[in-house]
Amino acid sequence: MTREKLSKEAVVEALAGLDGWSLARDGGSIARTFTFRNFSEAFAFMTRVALAAEKMDHHPDWSNVYKTVNVTLNTHDAGGLTALDFELAKTMDRYFGG
Amino acid sequence: MTREKLSKEAVVEALAGLDGWSLARDGGSIARTFTFRNFSEAFAFMTRVALAAEKMDHHPDWSNVYKTVNVTLNTHDAGGLTALDFELAKTMDRYFGG
């Protein structure tokens, strides 16, 4: 169920519940940049997210340059965004927030 | 000393001592892709590298998609490649190899 591609309307609704995430022009992924004080804090965040992602069996596409982490989420098998992407986004926001 | 920009000749020599790394067209960075069996192994590698990078105070630019880790190394302050980049590359190769 959670791996079913969401409709455009459902994506817009789910996105409204998030802060700082942007929808790709093609509607197929969401992205956010997280900025920390230093590398140590950025990688600590990535480590928490990695554990959550592995548990969900749903993994981010992400890059890291020193204190910055760029994340893109989509569900490859579904060819777009699913509930899993928004669940992972919320988890990241929660870890980022505190 | 280790943060001094290397000459083209020194870069070519250092690169010859590495496996699988390629020099950017502009000569300003080196890059390698590491592929693992799954996300867990990819992130375990990243974690070991993160600890080494923090200790060296020299950090990679890298991205991760599931079982693949793409790394680019250069020394921003020096405007090119330094001994630090090749030290970090060797550390990564060692962790990857065993």
Side-chain angles (χ1 to χ4, degrees), chain B residues 31-43:
Chain B
R32 183 174 172 182
T33 298
F34 296 92
T35 305
F36 301 85
R37 281 183 297 187
N38 50 46
F39 176 78
S40 175
E41 290 192 4
F43 200 78

Side-chain angles (χ1 to χ4, degrees), chain B residues 31-94:
Chain B
R32 183 174 172 182
T33 298
F34 296 92
T35 305
F36 301 85
R37 281 183 297 187
N38 50 46
F39 176 78
S40 175
E41 290 192 4
F43 200 78
F45 168 79
M46 291 180 76
T47 304
R48 288 195 75 189
V49 171
L51 297 178
E54 187 68 0
K55 199 167 177 180
M56 290 171 67
D57 192 22
H58 188 60
H59 305 87
D61 294 358
W62 51 359
S63 62
N64 159 243
V65 178
Y66 195 53
K67 64 180 181 177
T68 301
V69 179
N70 282 301
V71 180
T72 301
L73 302 178
N74 75 345
T75 304
H76 192 260
D77 296 347
L81 287 161
T82 66
L84 275 176
D85 297 305
F86 289 96
E87 194 182 324
L88 186 53
K90 276 182 197 163
T91 300
M92 289 191 181
D93 287 351
R94 200 169 60 242

